[in-house]
Amino acid sequence: MNDIYDPNFVKKLFNKMSSSYERMNYITSFGFSIIWRKQFIKTLNRKRSKIKVLDLLSGLGENWSYLKNRFPNAEFYALDFSEEMVEKSRKKGEIIFQNKIEIFQDDVLENELKSEEFDIITCAFGLKTFNEYQIDLLAKQVYRLLKKDGQFTFIEISKPQNSILYFLYSFYLGKIIPILGKLFLGNSDDYKMLWLYTKKFESCKKVETIFKKII
C-alpha cells in the first residue's frame, strides 16, 4: 500500500486533481469554502504598507483575490509542489496580479526561500496531507520564513465532535463526494483520498499544540 503522506504520492494526487479541484471544493462544500477562505484571511490585520505575503500550498490560487483585497500594496508570493497546480494557477496570477506574483514550485518542507523574509504567511486546506512529523517540519519552516513580528493563519477542516454530525459528515465525504467525483470527472478514487486524509487528520488541536511549541 502507498504511503499517503509520501510527498511524491501527494504530488501525483494533486496533479491529477488540478483541473477540477477548485470546482469540486465549491460544489462539495456548498459554497462554504469561499466563506471560510474569506473568514480565515480576515483574522489578519489589514495593512496598506508594502509588505511581503506568502501563500503556502497555494493550489489554484483560491486565496489570492482575498489576499489582494486585504493587502492591496503587498508583494505576493506563492508556493506549491504540484507542477499542474502551479501551471494552472499562473493564469490566475496574470489576472489578479498582472503577473506581479512569484510562484515557486517546491516542497514546503524543504524549500529554499529566504529566512525571515515574509510579513504574512497563509495556508488553506493543506494541513490534512501531512502526518505529525511533517507538521512539525512545517511549523519550523513557518517560523524560519516569518519576520519576527510577522503573522500567519492556517485553516483546515476538523472532525465534528457530535456523533450525529460526524456520521453525516463521514457519509457525505466518504460516499457522496466520490460519487460527485465520478459524475463530474469520471474518477472517484482521487476524491476518496481526500476523505481518508480528513479522517486521519481528525482535529486542528494537534496542529495548534505543535505550532505553539515552535512558534
PDB file of all heavy atoms in Angstrom, residues 98-122:
ATOM      1  N   GLN A  98      -1.618  40.856 -12.454  1.00  0.00           N
ATOM      2  CA  GLN A  98      -0.951  41.303 -13.686  1.00  0.00           C
ATOM      3  C   GLN A  98       0.496  40.801 -13.729  1.00  0.00           C
ATOM      4  O   GLN A  98       1.430  41.538 -14.028  1.00  0.00           O
ATOM      5  CB  GLN A  98      -0.984  42.843 -13.802  1.00  0.00           C
ATOM      6  CG  GLN A  98      -2.369  43.426 -14.021  1.00  0.00           C
ATOM      7  CD  GLN A  98      -3.202  43.452 -12.743  1.00  0.00           C
ATOM      8  OE1 GLN A  98      -2.750  43.951 -11.716  1.00  0.00           O
ATOM      9  NE2 GLN A  98      -4.403  42.919 -12.803  1.00  0.00           N
ATOM     10  N   ASN A  99       0.636  39.511 -13.379  1.00  0.00           N
ATOM     11  CA  ASN A  99       1.939  38.814 -13.374  1.00  0.00           C
ATOM     12  C   ASN A  99       2.875  39.265 -12.260  1.00  0.00           C
ATOM     13  O   ASN A  99       4.026  38.831 -12.214  1.00  0.00           O
ATOM     14  CB  ASN A  99       2.662  38.962 -14.727  1.00  0.00           C
ATOM     15  CG  ASN A  99       2.056  38.065 -15.783  1.00  0.00           C
ATOM     16  OD1 ASN A  99       1.578  36.981 -15.473  1.00  0.00           O
ATOM     17  ND2 ASN A  99       2.051  38.526 -17.008  1.00  0.00           N
ATOM     18  N   LYS A 100       2.400  40.141 -11.355  1.00  0.00           N
ATOM     19  CA  LYS A 100       3.263  40.613 -10.276  1.00  0.00           C
ATOM     20  C   LYS A 100       3.122  39.705  -9.055  1.00  0.00           C
ATOM     21  O   LYS A 100       2.797  40.135  -7.947  1.00  0.00           O
ATOM     22  CB  LYS A 100       2.932  42.065  -9.922  1.00  0.00           C
ATOM     23  CG  LYS A 100       3.275  43.039 -11.044  1.00  0.00           C
ATOM     24  CD  LYS A 100       2.907  44.457 -10.677  1.00  0.00           C
ATOM     25  CE  LYS A 100       3.237  45.418 -11.818  1.00  0.00           C
ATOM     26  NZ  LYS A 100       2.835  46.809 -11.507  1.00  0.00           N
ATOM     27  N   ILE A 101       3.340  38.430  -9.285  1.00  0.00           N
ATOM     28  CA  ILE A 101       3.371  37.445  -8.201  1.00  0.00           C
ATOM     29  C   ILE A 101       4.426  36.409  -8.565  1.00  0.00           C
ATOM     30  O   ILE A 101       4.526  35.995  -9.725  1.00  0.00           O
ATOM     31  CB  ILE A 101       1.994  36.768  -7.988  1.00  0.00           C
ATOM     32  CG1 ILE A 101       2.094  35.710  -6.863  1.00  0.00           C
ATOM     33  CG2 ILE A 101       1.460  36.154  -9.272  1.00  0.00           C
ATOM     34  CD1 ILE A 101       0.768  35.129  -6.440  1.00  0.00           C
ATOM     35  N   GLU A 102       5.217  36.023  -7.592  1.00  0.00           N
ATOM     36  CA  GLU A 102       6.215  34.979  -7.816  1.00  0.00           C
ATOM     37  C   GLU A 102       5.660  33.665  -7.303  1.00  0.00           C
ATOM     38  O   GLU A 102       5.290  33.552  -6.126  1.00  0.00           O
ATOM     39  CB  GLU A 102       7.522  35.318  -7.105  1.00  0.00           C
ATOM     40  CG  GLU A 102       8.322  36.433  -7.771  1.00  0.00           C
ATOM     41  CD  GLU A 102       9.758  36.460  -7.276  1.00  0.00           C
ATOM     42  OE1 GLU A 102      10.424  35.397  -7.346  1.00  0.00           O
ATOM     43  OE2 GLU A 102      10.190  37.517  -6.815  1.00  0.00           O
ATOM     44  N   ILE A 103       5.572  32.692  -8.184  1.00  0.00           N
ATOM     45  CA  ILE A 103       5.042  31.386  -7.822  1.00  0.00           C
ATOM     46  C   ILE A 103       6.179  30.369  -7.874  1.00  0.00           C
ATOM     47  O   ILE A 103       6.813  30.186  -8.913  1.00  0.00           O
ATOM     48  CB  ILE A 103       3.903  30.964  -8.769  1.00  0.00           C
ATOM     49  CG1 ILE A 103       2.830  32.051  -8.840  1.00  0.00           C
ATOM     50  CG2 ILE A 103       3.285  29.641  -8.308  1.00  0.00           C
ATOM     51  CD1 ILE A 103       1.746  31.792  -9.863  1.00  0.00           C
ATOM     52  N   PHE A 104       6.422  29.714  -6.738  1.00  0.00           N
ATOM     53  CA  PHE A 104       7.501  28.739  -6.644  1.00  0.00           C
ATOM     54  C   PHE A 104       6.927  27.327  -6.663  1.00  0.00           C
ATOM     55  O   PHE A 104       5.956  27.032  -5.967  1.00  0.00           O
ATOM     56  CB  PHE A 104       8.292  28.936  -5.343  1.00  0.00           C
ATOM     57  CG  PHE A 104       8.885  30.301  -5.186  1.00  0.00           C
ATOM     58  CD1 PHE A 104       8.232  31.275  -4.442  1.00  0.00           C
ATOM     59  CD2 PHE A 104      10.091  30.623  -5.789  1.00  0.00           C
ATOM     60  CE1 PHE A 104       8.767  32.540  -4.284  1.00  0.00           C
ATOM     61  CE2 PHE A 104      10.640  31.888  -5.638  1.00  0.00           C
ATOM     62  CZ  PHE A 104       9.979  32.845  -4.888  1.00  0.00           C
ATOM     63  N   GLN A 105       7.532  26.471  -7.446  1.00  0.00           N
ATOM     64  CA  GLN A 105       7.169  25.058  -7.447  1.00  0.00           C
ATOM     65  C   GLN A 105       8.226  24.337  -6.613  1.00  0.00           C
ATOM     66  O   GLN A 105       9.357  24.128  -7.052  1.00  0.00           O
ATOM     67  CB  GLN A 105       7.114  24.521  -8.880  1.00  0.00           C
ATOM     68  CG  GLN A 105       6.423  23.165  -9.022  1.00  0.00           C
ATOM     69  CD  GLN A 105       7.376  21.995  -8.979  1.00  0.00           C
ATOM     70  OE1 GLN A 105       8.357  21.959  -9.714  1.00  0.00           O
ATOM     71  NE2 GLN A 105       7.086  21.039  -8.121  1.00  0.00           N
ATOM     72  N   ASP A 106       7.839  24.010  -5.365  1.00  0.00           N
ATOM     73  CA  ASP A 106       8.817  23.469  -4.424  1.00  0.00           C
ATOM     74  C   ASP A 106       8.095  22.744  -3.291  1.00  0.00           C
ATOM     75  O   ASP A 106       6.881  22.930  -3.080  1.00  0.00           O
ATOM     76  CB  ASP A 106       9.678  24.607  -3.852  1.00  0.00           C
ATOM     77  CG  ASP A 106      11.030  24.129  -3.348  1.00  0.00           C
ATOM     78  OD1 ASP A 106      11.270  22.916  -3.332  1.00  0.00           O
ATOM     79  OD2 ASP A 106      11.849  24.990  -2.960  1.00  0.00           O
ATOM     80  N   ASP A 107       8.831  21.930  -2.561  1.00  0.00           N
ATOM     81  CA  ASP A 107       8.309  21.235  -1.382  1.00  0.00           C
ATOM     82  C   ASP A 107       8.424  22.176  -0.192  1.00  0.00           C
ATOM     83  O   ASP A 107       9.528  22.604   0.164  1.00  0.00           O
ATOM     84  CB  ASP A 107       9.121  19.957  -1.141  1.00  0.00           C
ATOM     85  CG  ASP A 107       8.594  19.127   0.014  1.00  0.00           C
ATOM     86  OD1 ASP A 107       7.762  19.623   0.793  1.00  0.00           O
ATOM     87  OD2 ASP A 107       9.030  17.969   0.144  1.00  0.00           O
ATOM     88  N   VAL A 108       7.305  22.514   0.424  1.00  0.00           N
ATOM     89  CA  VAL A 108       7.311  23.474   1.529  1.00  0.00           C
ATOM     90  C   VAL A 108       8.183  22.996   2.687  1.00  0.00           C
ATOM     91  O   VAL A 108       8.758  23.816   3.420  1.00  0.00           O
ATOM     92  CB  VAL A 108       5.869  23.743   2.011  1.00  0.00           C
ATOM     93  CG1 VAL A 108       5.232  22.492   2.610  1.00  0.00           C
ATOM     94  CG2 VAL A 108       5.838  24.882   3.014  1.00  0.00           C
ATOM     95  N   LEU A 109       8.339  21.688   2.847  1.00  0.00           N
ATOM     96  CA  LEU A 109       9.118  21.158   3.963  1.00  0.00           C
ATOM     97  C   LEU A 109      10.623  21.217   3.724  1.00  0.00           C
ATOM     98  O   LEU A 109      11.409  21.063   4.648  1.00  0.00           O
ATOM     99  CB  LEU A 109       8.706  19.702   4.249  1.00  0.00           C
ATOM    100  CG  LEU A 109       7.223  19.478   4.550  1.00  0.00           C
ATOM    101  CD1 LEU A 109       6.961  18.004   4.838  1.00  0.00           C
ATOM    102  CD2 LEU A 109       6.750  20.343   5.720  1.00  0.00           C
ATOM    103  N   GLU A 110      11.031  21.456   2.470  1.00  0.00           N
ATOM    104  CA  GLU A 110      12.448  21.519   2.132  1.00  0.00           C
ATOM    105  C   GLU A 110      12.732  22.677   1.177  1.00  0.00           C
ATOM    106  O   GLU A 110      13.594  22.582   0.303  1.00  0.00           O
ATOM    107  CB  GLU A 110      12.901  20.198   1.485  1.00  0.00           C
ATOM    108  CG  GLU A 110      12.736  18.985   2.377  1.00  0.00           C
ATOM    109  CD  GLU A 110      13.166  17.696   1.700  1.00  0.00           C
ATOM    110  OE1 GLU A 110      13.448  17.735   0.480  1.00  0.00           O
ATOM    111  OE2 GLU A 110      13.232  16.669   2.386  1.00  0.00           O
ATOM    112  N   ASN A 111      12.035  23.753   1.349  1.00  0.00           N
ATOM    113  CA  ASN A 111      12.139  24.871   0.398  1.00  0.00           C
ATOM    114  C   ASN A 111      13.422  25.679   0.622  1.00  0.00           C
ATOM    115  O   ASN A 111      14.060  25.590   1.675  1.00  0.00           O
ATOM    116  CB  ASN A 111      10.910  25.781   0.525  1.00  0.00           C
ATOM    117  CG  ASN A 111      10.889  26.559   1.812  1.00  0.00           C
ATOM    118  OD1 ASN A 111      11.502  27.616   1.930  1.00  0.00           O
ATOM    119  ND2 ASN A 111      10.188  26.022   2.810  1.00  0.00           N
ATOM    120  N   GLU A 112      13.754  26.485  -0.386  1.00  0.00           N
ATOM    121  CA  GLU A 112      14.968  27.300  -0.336  1.00  0.00           C
ATOM    122  C   GLU A 112      14.663  28.792  -0.264  1.00  0.00           C
ATOM    123  O   GLU A 112      15.503  29.620  -0.613  1.00  0.00           O
ATOM    124  CB  GLU A 112      15.842  26.985  -1.556  1.00  0.00           C
ATOM    125  CG  GLU A 112      16.308  25.538  -1.592  1.00  0.00           C
ATOM    126  CD  GLU A 112      17.206  25.234  -2.769  1.00  0.00           C
ATOM    127  OE1 GLU A 112      17.478  26.163  -3.569  1.00  0.00           O
ATOM    128  OE2 GLU A 112      17.655  24.084  -2.896  1.00  0.00           O
ATOM    129  N   LEU A 113      13.476  29.148   0.191  1.00  0.00           N
ATOM    130  CA  LEU A 113      13.138  30.555   0.351  1.00  0.00           C
ATOM    131  C   LEU A 113      13.975  31.168   1.478  1.00  0.00           C
ATOM    132  O   LEU A 113      14.397  30.466   2.401  1.00  0.00           O
ATOM    133  CB  LEU A 113      11.650  30.714   0.663  1.00  0.00           C
ATOM    134  CG  LEU A 113      10.675  30.226  -0.420  1.00  0.00           C
ATOM    135  CD1 LEU A 113       9.239  30.364   0.059  1.00  0.00           C
ATOM    136  CD2 LEU A 113      10.870  30.995  -1.713  1.00  0.00           C
ATOM    137  N   LYS A 114      14.162  32.478   1.412  1.00  0.00           N
ATOM    138  CA  LYS A 114      14.997  33.166   2.395  1.00  0.00           C
ATOM    139  C   LYS A 114      14.340  33.186   3.777  1.00  0.00           C
ATOM    140  O   LYS A 114      13.132  33.324   3.894  1.00  0.00           O
ATOM    141  CB  LYS A 114      15.264  34.607   1.945  1.00  0.00           C
ATOM    142  CG  LYS A 114      16.131  34.721   0.707  1.00  0.00           C
ATOM    143  CD  LYS A 114      16.349  36.178   0.343  1.00  0.00           C
ATOM    144  CE  LYS A 114      17.192  36.326  -0.907  1.00  0.00           C
ATOM    145  NZ  LYS A 114      17.375  37.765  -1.267  1.00  0.00           N
ATOM    146  N   SER A 115      15.149  33.089   4.802  1.00  0.00           N
ATOM    147  CA  SER A 115      14.666  33.160   6.182  1.00  0.00           C
ATOM    148  C   SER A 115      14.245  34.577   6.542  1.00  0.00           C
ATOM    149  O   SER A 115      14.809  35.556   6.023  1.00  0.00           O
ATOM    150  CB  SER A 115      15.758  32.690   7.147  1.00  0.00           C
ATOM    151  OG  SER A 115      16.103  31.344   6.901  1.00  0.00           O
ATOM    152  N   GLU A 116      13.256  34.697   7.410  1.00  0.00           N
ATOM    153  CA  GLU A 116      12.748  35.979   7.920  1.00  0.00           C
ATOM    154  C   GLU A 116      12.433  36.946   6.775  1.00  0.00           C
ATOM    155  O   GLU A 116      12.748  38.128   6.829  1.00  0.00           O
ATOM    156  CB  GLU A 116      13.760  36.601   8.886  1.00  0.00           C
ATOM    157  CG  GLU A 116      13.998  35.749  10.122  1.00  0.00           C
ATOM    158  CD  GLU A 116      14.941  36.412  11.114  1.00  0.00           C
ATOM    159  OE1 GLU A 116      14.977  37.658  11.155  1.00  0.00           O
ATOM    160  OE2 GLU A 116      15.639  35.675  11.829  1.00  0.00           O
ATOM    161  N   GLU A 117      11.765  36.435   5.762  1.00  0.00           N
ATOM    162  CA  GLU A 117      11.511  37.196   4.541  1.00  0.00           C
ATOM    163  C   GLU A 117      10.085  37.739   4.446  1.00  0.00           C
ATOM    164  O   GLU A 117       9.830  38.736   3.776  1.00  0.00           O
ATOM    165  CB  GLU A 117      11.794  36.295   3.326  1.00  0.00           C
ATOM    166  CG  GLU A 117      11.643  36.948   1.972  1.00  0.00           C
ATOM    167  CD  GLU A 117      12.814  37.858   1.621  1.00  0.00           C
ATOM    168  OE1 GLU A 117      13.758  37.985   2.440  1.00  0.00           O
ATOM    169  OE2 GLU A 117      12.785  38.462   0.533  1.00  0.00           O
ATOM    170  N   PHE A 118       9.124  37.109   5.158  1.00  0.00           N
ATOM    171  CA  PHE A 118       7.710  37.400   4.920  1.00  0.00           C
ATOM    172  C   PHE A 118       7.012  37.977   6.150  1.00  0.00           C
ATOM    173  O   PHE A 118       7.249  37.551   7.281  1.00  0.00           O
ATOM    174  CB  PHE A 118       6.993  36.141   4.437  1.00  0.00           C
ATOM    175  CG  PHE A 118       7.590  35.590   3.174  1.00  0.00           C
ATOM    176  CD1 PHE A 118       8.500  34.537   3.225  1.00  0.00           C
ATOM    177  CD2 PHE A 118       7.280  36.142   1.941  1.00  0.00           C
ATOM    178  CE1 PHE A 118       9.075  34.035   2.068  1.00  0.00           C
ATOM    179  CE2 PHE A 118       7.847  35.653   0.780  1.00  0.00           C
ATOM    180  CZ  PHE A 118       8.751  34.602   0.846  1.00  0.00           C
ATOM    181  N   ASP A 119       6.114  38.936   5.877  1.00  0.00           N
ATOM    182  CA  ASP A 119       5.318  39.550   6.942  1.00  0.00           C
ATOM    183  C   ASP A 119       4.057  38.739   7.236  1.00  0.00           C
ATOM    184  O   ASP A 119       3.562  38.743   8.359  1.00  0.00           O
ATOM    185  CB  ASP A 119       4.894  40.965   6.514  1.00  0.00           C
ATOM    186  CG  ASP A 119       6.087  41.854   6.235  1.00  0.00           C
ATOM    187  OD1 ASP A 119       6.614  42.434   7.193  1.00  0.00           O
ATOM    188  OD2 ASP A 119       6.485  41.963   5.048  1.00  0.00           O
ATOM    189  N   ILE A 120       3.533  38.092   6.212  1.00  0.00           N
ATOM    190  CA  ILE A 120       2.292  37.315   6.315  1.00  0.00           C
ATOM    191  C   ILE A 120       2.490  35.974   5.625  1.00  0.00           C
ATOM    192  O   ILE A 120       3.021  35.901   4.519  1.00  0.00           O
ATOM    193  CB  ILE A 120       1.113  38.042   5.617  1.00  0.00           C
ATOM    194  CG1 ILE A 120       0.860  39.414   6.243  1.00  0.00           C
ATOM    195  CG2 ILE A 120      -0.145  37.179   5.628  1.00  0.00           C
ATOM    196  CD1 ILE A 120       0.242  39.385   7.618  1.00  0.00           C
ATOM    197  N   ILE A 121       2.032  34.888   6.275  1.00  0.00           N
ATOM    198  CA  ILE A 121       2.005  33.567   5.654  1.00  0.00           C
ATOM    199  C   ILE A 121       0.609  32.977   5.826  1.00  0.00           C
ATOM    200  O   ILE A 121       0.056  32.993   6.935  1.00  0.00           O
ATOM    201  CB  ILE A 121       3.056  32.618   6.260  1.00  0.00           C
ATOM    202  CG1 ILE A 121       4.474  33.106   5.920  1.00  0.00           C
ATOM    203  CG2 ILE A 121       2.861  31.193   5.739  1.00  0.00           C
ATOM    204  CD1 ILE A 121       5.575  32.250   6.519  1.00  0.00           C
ATOM    205  N   THR A 122       0.044  32.485   4.732  1.00  0.00           N
ATOM    206  CA  THR A 122      -1.285  31.862   4.788  1.00  0.00           C
ATOM    207  C   THR A 122      -1.224  30.454   4.208  1.00  0.00           C
ATOM    208  O   THR A 122      -0.338  30.128   3.411  1.00  0.00           O
ATOM    209  CB  THR A 122      -2.327  32.680   3.990  1.00  0.00           C
ATOM    210  OG1 THR A 122      -1.923  32.740   2.611  1.00  0.00           O
ATOM    211  CG2 THR A 122      -2.448  34.082   4.532  1.00  0.00           C
TER     212      THR A 122
END
